[in-house]
Amino acid sequence: MNSRIVVGISGASGSIYGVRILEVLKGADYETHLVISRAGKITLAHEVTERLEGIISLADFYYSEEKIGERIASGSFKTLGMIIAPCSMKTMSEISSGVTSNLLARAADVTLKERRKLVLMVRESPLHLGHLQNMLKLTEMGTIIAPPLPAFYIKPKSLDDIINHSIGKVLDLFDIKLPDFKEWQGA
Ligand SMILES: Cc1cc2nc3c(=O)[nH]c(=O)nc-3n(C[C@H](O)[C@H](O)[C@H](O)COP(=O)(O)O)c2cc1C
Protein backbone atom coordinates (compact mmCIF):
# COMPACT_ATOMS: atom_id res chain seq x y z
CA MET A 1 0.00 0.00 0.00
CA ASN A 2 1.21 3.50 -0.76
CA SER A 3 1.24 5.27 2.59
CA ARG A 4 3.31 8.32 1.74
CA ILE A 5 2.00 11.73 2.66
CA VAL A 6 3.73 15.01 1.85
CA VAL A 7 3.42 17.62 4.60
CA GLY A 8 4.27 21.26 3.91
CA ILE A 9 4.70 24.00 6.50
CA SER A 10 4.61 27.49 5.03
CA GLY A 11 4.99 30.89 6.65
CA ALA A 12 1.40 31.54 7.71
CA SER A 13 0.52 31.69 11.36
CA GLY A 14 -0.51 28.29 12.73
CA SER A 15 2.68 26.27 12.26
CA ILE A 16 1.50 24.15 15.21
CA TYR A 17 -1.04 22.54 12.83
CA GLY A 18 1.77 21.15 10.70
CA VAL A 19 3.69 20.01 13.77
CA ARG A 20 0.65 18.24 15.22
CA ILE A 21 -0.02 16.47 11.91
CA LEU A 22 3.56 15.17 11.94
CA GLU A 23 3.16 14.03 15.55
CA VAL A 24 -0.03 12.16 14.76
CA LEU A 25 1.33 10.54 11.60
CA LYS A 26 4.50 9.45 13.41
CA GLY A 27 2.42 7.16 15.57
CA ALA A 28 0.49 5.84 12.57
CA ASP A 29 1.43 3.70 9.63
CA TYR A 30 2.26 6.55 7.25
CA GLU A 31 5.50 7.67 5.70
CA THR A 32 5.82 11.43 5.99
CA HIS A 33 7.76 13.65 3.58
CA LEU A 34 8.25 17.12 5.05
CA VAL A 35 9.14 20.40 3.39
CA ILE A 36 9.26 23.69 5.30
CA SER A 37 9.50 27.04 3.54
CA ARG A 38 12.01 29.66 4.64
CA ALA A 39 9.19 31.78 6.08
CA GLY A 40 7.77 28.62 7.69
CA LYS A 41 10.97 28.31 9.72
CA ILE A 42 10.49 31.90 10.92
CA THR A 43 6.90 31.35 12.04
CA LEU A 44 7.87 28.05 13.70
CA ALA A 45 10.52 29.91 15.70
CA HIS A 46 7.90 32.48 16.76
CA GLU A 47 5.06 30.12 17.51
CA VAL A 48 6.20 26.75 18.86
CA THR A 49 8.55 25.79 21.65
CA GLU A 50 10.00 22.72 19.89
CA ARG A 51 13.30 23.31 18.11
CA LEU A 52 13.47 22.97 14.34
CA GLU A 53 15.60 19.81 14.53
CA GLY A 54 12.99 18.18 16.76
CA ILE A 55 10.21 19.06 14.33
CA ILE A 56 12.20 17.76 11.37
CA SER A 57 12.87 14.51 13.26
CA LEU A 58 9.11 13.88 13.46
CA ALA A 59 9.10 13.28 9.70
CA ASP A 60 10.44 10.19 7.98
CA PHE A 61 12.02 12.34 5.25
CA TYR A 62 12.81 16.05 5.18
CA TYR A 63 13.62 18.27 2.20
CA SER A 64 14.92 21.80 2.05
CA GLU A 65 12.70 24.21 0.08
CA GLU A 66 15.63 25.25 -2.14
CA LYS A 67 16.28 21.68 -3.33
CA ILE A 68 13.92 21.74 -6.27
CA GLY A 69 15.25 18.43 -7.61
CA GLU A 70 14.12 16.28 -4.66
CA ARG A 71 11.84 13.30 -5.34
CA ILE A 72 8.64 14.99 -4.12
CA ALA A 73 9.12 17.36 -7.10
CA SER A 74 8.37 14.49 -9.46
CA GLY A 75 5.04 12.90 -10.29
CA SER A 76 6.75 9.53 -10.63
CA PHE A 77 7.21 9.53 -6.84
CA LYS A 78 3.79 8.25 -5.81
CA THR A 79 2.09 9.62 -2.71
CA LEU A 80 -1.42 9.67 -1.26
CA GLY A 81 -1.35 13.45 -1.49
CA MET A 82 -0.20 16.54 0.30
CA ILE A 83 -1.30 18.71 3.21
CA ILE A 84 0.02 22.25 3.62
CA ALA A 85 -0.52 23.26 7.21
CA PRO A 86 -0.62 26.18 7.53
CA CYS A 87 -0.78 27.55 3.99
CA SER A 88 0.17 31.19 3.45
CA MET A 89 -1.45 33.40 0.84
CA LYS A 90 1.87 33.49 -0.99
CA THR A 91 2.16 29.71 -1.27
CA MET A 92 -1.52 29.45 -2.19
CA SER A 93 -1.04 32.06 -4.95
CA GLU A 94 1.96 30.20 -6.34
CA ILE A 95 0.00 26.95 -6.51
CA SER A 96 -2.96 28.72 -8.06
CA SER A 97 -0.84 30.33 -10.78
CA GLY A 98 1.47 27.37 -11.38
CA VAL A 99 4.49 29.68 -10.98
CA THR A 100 6.15 27.62 -8.29
CA SER A 101 9.32 29.13 -6.85
CA ASN A 102 10.32 26.53 -4.28
CA LEU A 103 10.00 22.82 -3.50
CA LEU A 104 6.94 23.35 -1.30
CA ALA A 105 4.88 24.93 -4.08
CA ARG A 106 6.33 22.57 -6.71
CA ALA A 107 5.35 19.49 -4.67
CA ALA A 108 1.81 20.90 -4.43
CA ASP A 109 1.78 21.56 -8.18
CA VAL A 110 2.84 17.95 -8.79
CA THR A 111 0.14 16.69 -6.43
CA LEU A 112 -2.45 18.55 -8.50
CA LYS A 113 -1.12 17.53 -11.89
CA GLU A 114 -1.11 13.87 -10.82
CA ARG A 115 -4.73 14.34 -9.63
CA ARG A 116 -3.86 13.46 -6.05
CA LYS A 117 -5.40 14.97 -2.95
CA LEU A 118 -4.14 18.44 -2.06
CA VAL A 119 -5.41 20.00 1.17
CA LEU A 120 -4.53 23.59 2.04
CA MET A 121 -5.05 24.82 5.60
CA VAL A 122 -5.07 28.43 4.43
CA ARG A 123 -4.80 31.19 7.03
CA GLU A 124 -5.27 34.88 6.58
CA SER A 125 -7.83 37.43 7.69
CA PRO A 126 -9.42 39.44 6.29
CA LEU A 127 -9.27 38.12 2.74
CA HIS A 128 -9.14 40.30 -0.37
CA LEU A 129 -10.69 39.49 -3.73
CA GLY A 130 -7.44 38.03 -5.07
CA HIS A 131 -7.22 35.57 -2.18
CA LEU A 132 -10.81 34.49 -2.71
CA GLN A 133 -10.32 34.17 -6.47
CA ASN A 134 -7.28 31.98 -5.89
CA MET A 135 -9.32 29.77 -3.56
CA LEU A 136 -12.08 29.49 -6.15
CA LYS A 137 -9.60 28.60 -8.90
CA LEU A 138 -7.85 26.04 -6.71
CA THR A 139 -11.16 24.48 -5.76
CA GLU A 140 -12.07 24.21 -9.44
CA MET A 141 -8.70 22.49 -9.95
CA GLY A 142 -9.53 19.90 -7.28
CA THR A 143 -7.77 21.34 -4.25
CA ILE A 144 -9.49 21.18 -0.89
CA ILE A 145 -9.38 24.53 0.88
CA ALA A 146 -9.55 23.72 4.60
CA PRO A 147 -8.96 26.79 6.78
CA PRO A 148 -8.29 25.87 10.41
CA LEU A 149 -11.41 27.37 11.95
CA PRO A 150 -12.32 26.46 15.53
CA ALA A 151 -15.56 24.52 16.00
CA PHE A 152 -17.18 25.61 19.23
CA TYR A 153 -19.81 22.88 19.19
CA ILE A 154 -17.14 20.44 20.42
CA LYS A 155 -16.92 22.55 23.60
CA PRO A 156 -13.12 22.82 23.53
CA LYS A 157 -11.45 22.94 26.93
CA SER A 158 -8.03 23.90 25.63
CA LEU A 159 -6.12 25.17 22.63
CA ASP A 160 -5.06 21.56 22.09
CA ASP A 161 -8.70 20.54 21.63
CA ILE A 162 -9.10 23.20 18.95
CA ILE A 163 -5.88 22.22 17.16
CA ASN A 164 -6.70 18.51 17.30
CA HIS A 165 -10.18 19.07 15.94
CA SER A 166 -8.89 21.09 12.98
CA ILE A 167 -6.24 18.57 12.05
CA GLY A 168 -8.66 15.72 12.75
CA LYS A 169 -10.92 17.10 10.03
CA VAL A 170 -8.05 17.36 7.57
CA LEU A 171 -6.70 13.87 8.29
CA ASP A 172 -10.22 12.50 7.99
CA LEU A 173 -10.08 13.61 4.34
CA PHE A 174 -7.35 10.99 3.95
CA ASP A 175 -9.41 8.47 5.99
CA ILE A 176 -6.97 8.81 8.86
CA LYS A 177 -8.94 8.79 12.10
CA LEU A 178 -7.72 10.39 15.31
CA PRO A 179 -8.83 8.37 18.37
CA ASP A 180 -10.55 11.42 19.90
CA PHE A 181 -12.10 12.67 16.67
CA LYS A 182 -15.80 11.88 16.89
CA GLU A 183 -18.43 12.02 14.17
CA TRP A 184 -21.23 14.44 14.97
CA GLN A 185 -24.21 12.39 16.16
CA GLY A 186 -26.83 15.09 15.83
CA ALA A 187 -28.04 17.71 18.27
C1 LIG B 1 4.75 35.79 12.60
C2 LIG B 1 4.26 35.79 11.18
C3 LIG B 1 2.96 35.45 10.91
C4 LIG B 1 2.46 35.44 9.59
N1 LIG B 1 1.17 35.05 9.37
C5 LIG B 1 0.72 34.95 8.11
C6 LIG B 1 -0.59 34.43 7.87
O1 LIG B 1 -1.33 34.09 8.77
N2 LIG B 1 -0.98 34.29 6.58
C7 LIG B 1 -0.16 34.62 5.52
O2 LIG B 1 -0.59 34.46 4.38
N3 LIG B 1 1.08 35.13 5.73
C8 LIG B 1 1.54 35.29 6.99
N4 LIG B 1 2.81 35.76 7.20
C9 LIG B 1 3.60 36.23 6.07
C10 LIG B 1 4.31 35.10 5.31
O3 LIG B 1 5.25 34.47 6.16
C11 LIG B 1 5.00 35.69 4.07
O4 LIG B 1 4.04 36.12 3.13
C12 LIG B 1 5.94 34.71 3.42
O5 LIG B 1 6.51 35.31 2.28
C13 LIG B 1 5.27 33.42 3.02
O6 LIG B 1 6.19 32.61 2.36
P1 LIG B 1 5.92 31.07 2.10
O7 LIG B 1 4.57 30.95 1.52
O8 LIG B 1 7.00 30.68 1.12
O9 LIG B 1 6.06 30.34 3.37
C14 LIG B 1 3.32 35.80 8.51
C15 LIG B 1 4.64 36.14 8.80
C16 LIG B 1 5.11 36.14 10.11
C17 LIG B 1 6.55 36.49 10.37
Side-chain angles (χ1 to χ4, degrees):
M1 191 195 95
N2 178 357
S3 61
R4 296 172 183 151
I5 296 190
V6 183
V7 177
I9 298 180
S10 77
S13 184
S15 43
I16 186 66
Y17 293 111
V19 175
R20 189 60 50 82
I21 286 170
L22 291 170
E23 285 169 349
V24 167
L25 293 182
K26 193 163 180 67
D29 243 354
Y30 291 88
E31 186 181 284
T32 50
H33 294 259
L34 171 67
V35 55
I36 306 174
S37 72
R38 219 170 315 156
K41 288 177 187 163
I42 295 171
T43 44
L44 276 166
H46 274 283
E47 295 184 340
V48 305
T49 48
E50 293 97 326
R51 292 173 63 85
L52 183 63
E53 303 78 63
I55 293 160
I56 287 172
S57 73
L58 291 170
D60 294 300
F61 299 92
Y62 167 73
Y63 313 92
S64 168
E65 73 147 59
E66 291 85 16
K67 297 229 169 119
I68 205 69
E70 294 283 7
R71 52 194 177 157
I72 57 170
S74 168
S76 64
F77 184 71
K78 291 220 183 312
T79 70
L80 293 175
M82 178 170 185
I83 305 170
I84 304 185
C87 183
S88 73
M89 296 301 100
K90 180 212 165 211
T91 290
M92 178 183 74
S93 307
E94 288 197 9
I95 304 165
S96 161
S97 69
V99 185
T100 56
S101 71
N102 60 25
L103 182 65
L104 173 57
R106 167 64 186 170
D109 195 61
V110 165
T111 305
L112 273 185
K113 87 179 171 72
E114 299 298 329
R115 307 298 193 270
R116 296 177 194 144
K117 196 166 279 182
L118 176 65
V119 180
L120 305 183
M121 295 186 83
V122 295
R123 207 227 76 100
E124 188 50 282
S125 183
L127 297 162
H128 63 55
L129 181 62
H131 297 146
L132 294 166
Q133 284 172 333
N134 281 331
M135 288 184 205
L136 174 63
K137 185 174 168 194
L138 282 164
T139 302
E140 286 170 344
M141 288 156 74
T143 307
I144 299 175
I145 302 291
L149 302 175
F152 294 101
Y153 55 81
I154 62 163
K155 299 200 170 60
K157 292 185 181 57
S158 65
L159 199 51
D160 253 12
D161 287 349
I162 291 173
I163 295 162
N164 289 342
H165 188 260
S166 283
I167 65 137
K169 282 189 78 94
V170 162
L171 292 173
D172 197 41
L173 293 167
F174 288 84
D175 285 326
I176 302 169
K177 307 280 178 203
L178 292 192
D180 295 337
F181 187 78
K182 296 187 183 67
E183 285 178 10
W184 180 248
Q185 296 300 324

Short mmCIF file of all heavy atoms in Angstrom, two decimals, residues 9-13 37-40 42-43 46-47 65 87-91 102 104 123-124, ligand 1:
data_model
loop_
_atom_site.label_atom_id
_atom_site.label_comp_id
_atom_site.label_asym_id
_atom_site.label_seq_id
_atom_site.Cartn_x
_atom_site.Cartn_y
_atom_site.Cartn_z
N ILE A 9 4.93 22.94 5.51
CA ILE A 9 4.70 24.00 6.50
C ILE A 9 5.17 25.30 5.87
O ILE A 9 6.36 25.45 5.56
CB ILE A 9 5.45 23.72 7.82
CG1 ILE A 9 4.96 22.42 8.47
CG2 ILE A 9 5.28 24.90 8.79
CD1 ILE A 9 5.64 22.05 9.79
N SER A 10 4.24 26.20 5.62
CA SER A 10 4.61 27.49 5.03
C SER A 10 4.58 28.57 6.11
O SER A 10 4.34 28.28 7.28
CB SER A 10 3.66 27.83 3.86
OG SER A 10 2.43 28.29 4.37
N GLY A 11 4.79 29.81 5.68
CA GLY A 11 4.99 30.89 6.65
C GLY A 11 3.75 31.59 7.16
O GLY A 11 3.84 32.72 7.63
N ALA A 12 2.59 30.96 7.08
CA ALA A 12 1.40 31.54 7.71
C ALA A 12 1.42 31.24 9.19
O ALA A 12 2.11 30.32 9.64
CB ALA A 12 0.13 30.98 7.08
N SER A 13 0.67 32.00 9.94
CA SER A 13 0.52 31.69 11.36
C SER A 13 -0.20 30.35 11.48
O SER A 13 -1.04 30.00 10.64
CB SER A 13 -0.29 32.80 12.05
OG SER A 13 -0.35 32.54 13.42
N SER A 37 9.00 25.87 4.27
CA SER A 37 9.50 27.04 3.54
C SER A 37 10.39 27.88 4.45
O SER A 37 10.38 27.71 5.68
CB SER A 37 8.34 27.89 3.02
OG SER A 37 7.72 28.57 4.10
N ARG A 38 11.13 28.79 3.85
CA ARG A 38 12.01 29.66 4.64
C ARG A 38 11.18 30.46 5.65
O ARG A 38 11.51 30.57 6.81
CB ARG A 38 12.77 30.60 3.71
CG ARG A 38 14.20 30.81 4.13
CD ARG A 38 15.01 31.54 3.09
NE ARG A 38 14.79 31.05 1.73
CZ ARG A 38 14.99 31.76 0.63
NH1 ARG A 38 15.39 33.00 0.71
NH2 ARG A 38 14.79 31.24 -0.56
N ALA A 39 10.06 31.01 5.17
CA ALA A 39 9.19 31.78 6.08
C ALA A 39 8.56 30.86 7.13
O ALA A 39 8.30 31.28 8.26
CB ALA A 39 8.12 32.50 5.28
N GLY A 40 8.32 29.60 6.74
CA GLY A 40 7.77 28.62 7.69
C GLY A 40 8.70 28.42 8.88
O GLY A 40 8.25 28.27 10.02
N ILE A 42 10.60 30.69 10.09
CA ILE A 42 10.49 31.90 10.92
C ILE A 42 9.25 31.82 11.81
O ILE A 42 9.31 32.07 13.01
CB ILE A 42 10.46 33.17 10.02
CG1 ILE A 42 11.78 33.31 9.28
CG2 ILE A 42 10.14 34.42 10.85
CD1 ILE A 42 11.81 34.40 8.22
N THR A 43 8.12 31.41 11.22
CA THR A 43 6.90 31.35 12.04
C THR A 43 7.02 30.22 13.08
O THR A 43 6.56 30.38 14.21
CB THR A 43 5.64 31.15 11.17
OG1 THR A 43 5.88 30.17 10.19
CG2 THR A 43 5.20 32.44 10.52
N HIS A 46 8.74 31.56 15.98
CA HIS A 46 7.90 32.48 16.76
C HIS A 46 6.82 31.75 17.56
O HIS A 46 6.43 32.21 18.63
CB HIS A 46 7.15 33.43 15.80
CG HIS A 46 7.93 34.64 15.43
ND1 HIS A 46 8.10 35.70 16.27
CD2 HIS A 46 8.60 34.95 14.30
CE1 HIS A 46 8.83 36.63 15.68
NE2 HIS A 46 9.15 36.19 14.47
N GLU A 47 6.34 30.64 17.01
CA GLU A 47 5.06 30.12 17.51
C GLU A 47 5.14 28.83 18.33
O GLU A 47 4.22 28.54 19.09
CB GLU A 47 4.10 29.89 16.32
CG GLU A 47 3.73 31.19 15.63
CD GLU A 47 2.71 31.03 14.54
OE1 GLU A 47 2.54 29.91 14.02
OE2 GLU A 47 2.10 32.04 14.18
N GLU A 65 13.55 23.59 1.12
CA GLU A 65 12.70 24.21 0.08
C GLU A 65 13.50 24.62 -1.17
O GLU A 65 12.97 24.73 -2.25
CB GLU A 65 11.94 25.42 0.63
CG GLU A 65 12.78 26.65 0.88
CD GLU A 65 12.04 27.96 0.64
OE1 GLU A 65 11.02 28.18 1.29
OE2 GLU A 65 12.49 28.75 -0.20
N CYS A 87 -1.10 27.10 5.35
CA CYS A 87 -0.78 27.55 3.99
C CYS A 87 -0.92 29.07 3.91
O CYS A 87 -1.99 29.61 4.17
CB CYS A 87 -1.71 26.88 2.98
SG CYS A 87 -1.28 27.31 1.29
N SER A 88 0.19 29.71 3.57
CA SER A 88 0.17 31.19 3.45
C SER A 88 -0.51 31.60 2.14
O SER A 88 -0.66 30.80 1.22
CB SER A 88 1.60 31.72 3.46
OG SER A 88 2.21 31.41 2.22
N MET A 89 -0.86 32.87 2.07
CA MET A 89 -1.45 33.40 0.84
C MET A 89 -0.44 33.37 -0.31
O MET A 89 -0.79 33.17 -1.46
CB MET A 89 -1.96 34.83 1.07
CG MET A 89 -3.09 34.94 2.07
SD MET A 89 -4.55 33.97 1.62
CE MET A 89 -4.37 32.51 2.65
N LYS A 90 0.84 33.53 0.05
CA LYS A 90 1.87 33.49 -0.99
C LYS A 90 1.97 32.09 -1.61
O LYS A 90 1.94 31.93 -2.83
CB LYS A 90 3.23 33.89 -0.41
CG LYS A 90 4.34 33.88 -1.43
CD LYS A 90 5.65 33.50 -0.77
CE LYS A 90 6.70 33.12 -1.78
NZ LYS A 90 7.64 32.13 -1.25
N THR A 91 2.07 31.08 -0.75
CA THR A 91 2.16 29.71 -1.27
C THR A 91 0.89 29.36 -2.03
O THR A 91 0.94 28.76 -3.12
CB THR A 91 2.43 28.72 -0.12
OG1 THR A 91 3.77 28.94 0.33
CG2 THR A 91 2.29 27.27 -0.55
N ASN A 102 9.54 27.35 -5.21
CA ASN A 102 10.32 26.53 -4.28
C ASN A 102 9.75 25.10 -4.26
O ASN A 102 8.73 24.82 -4.91
CB ASN A 102 10.33 27.15 -2.87
CG ASN A 102 8.94 27.28 -2.28
OD1 ASN A 102 8.01 26.55 -2.66
ND2 ASN A 102 8.75 28.20 -1.36
N LEU A 104 8.25 23.46 -1.94
CA LEU A 104 6.94 23.35 -1.30
C LEU A 104 5.82 23.54 -2.34
O LEU A 104 4.92 22.71 -2.48
CB LEU A 104 6.84 24.39 -0.18
CG LEU A 104 5.50 24.58 0.53
CD1 LEU A 104 5.00 23.29 1.14
CD2 LEU A 104 5.62 25.63 1.63
N ARG A 123 -4.55 30.29 5.88
CA ARG A 123 -4.80 31.19 7.03
C ARG A 123 -4.44 32.62 6.71
O ARG A 123 -3.29 32.96 6.46
CB ARG A 123 -4.02 30.73 8.26
CG ARG A 123 -4.73 31.17 9.56
CD ARG A 123 -3.80 31.81 10.55
NE ARG A 123 -3.46 33.14 10.14
CZ ARG A 123 -4.03 34.26 10.63
NH1 ARG A 123 -4.95 34.22 11.55
NH2 ARG A 123 -3.65 35.44 10.20
N GLU A 124 -5.43 33.43 6.68
CA GLU A 124 -5.27 34.88 6.58
C GLU A 124 -6.61 35.51 6.91
O GLU A 124 -7.66 34.88 6.71
CB GLU A 124 -4.81 35.29 5.17
CG GLU A 124 -4.42 36.75 5.03
CD GLU A 124 -3.43 37.23 6.09
OE1 GLU A 124 -3.87 37.48 7.24
OE2 GLU A 124 -2.24 37.32 5.80
C1 LIG B 1 4.75 35.79 12.60
C2 LIG B 1 4.26 35.79 11.18
C3 LIG B 1 2.96 35.45 10.91
C4 LIG B 1 2.46 35.44 9.59
N1 LIG B 1 1.17 35.05 9.37
C5 LIG B 1 0.72 34.95 8.11
C6 LIG B 1 -0.59 34.43 7.87
O1 LIG B 1 -1.33 34.09 8.77
N2 LIG B 1 -0.98 34.29 6.58
C7 LIG B 1 -0.16 34.62 5.52
O2 LIG B 1 -0.59 34.46 4.38
N3 LIG B 1 1.08 35.13 5.73
C8 LIG B 1 1.54 35.29 6.99
N4 LIG B 1 2.81 35.76 7.20
C9 LIG B 1 3.60 36.23 6.07
C10 LIG B 1 4.31 35.10 5.31
O3 LIG B 1 5.25 34.47 6.16
C11 LIG B 1 5.00 35.69 4.07
O4 LIG B 1 4.04 36.12 3.13
C12 LIG B 1 5.94 34.71 3.42
O5 LIG B 1 6.51 35.31 2.28
C13 LIG B 1 5.27 33.42 3.02
O6 LIG B 1 6.19 32.61 2.36
P1 LIG B 1 5.92 31.07 2.10
O7 LIG B 1 4.57 30.95 1.52
O8 LIG B 1 7.00 30.68 1.12
O9 LIG B 1 6.06 30.34 3.37
C14 LIG B 1 3.32 35.80 8.51
C15 LIG B 1 4.64 36.14 8.80
C16 LIG B 1 5.11 36.14 10.11
C17 LIG B 1 6.55 36.49 10.37
#
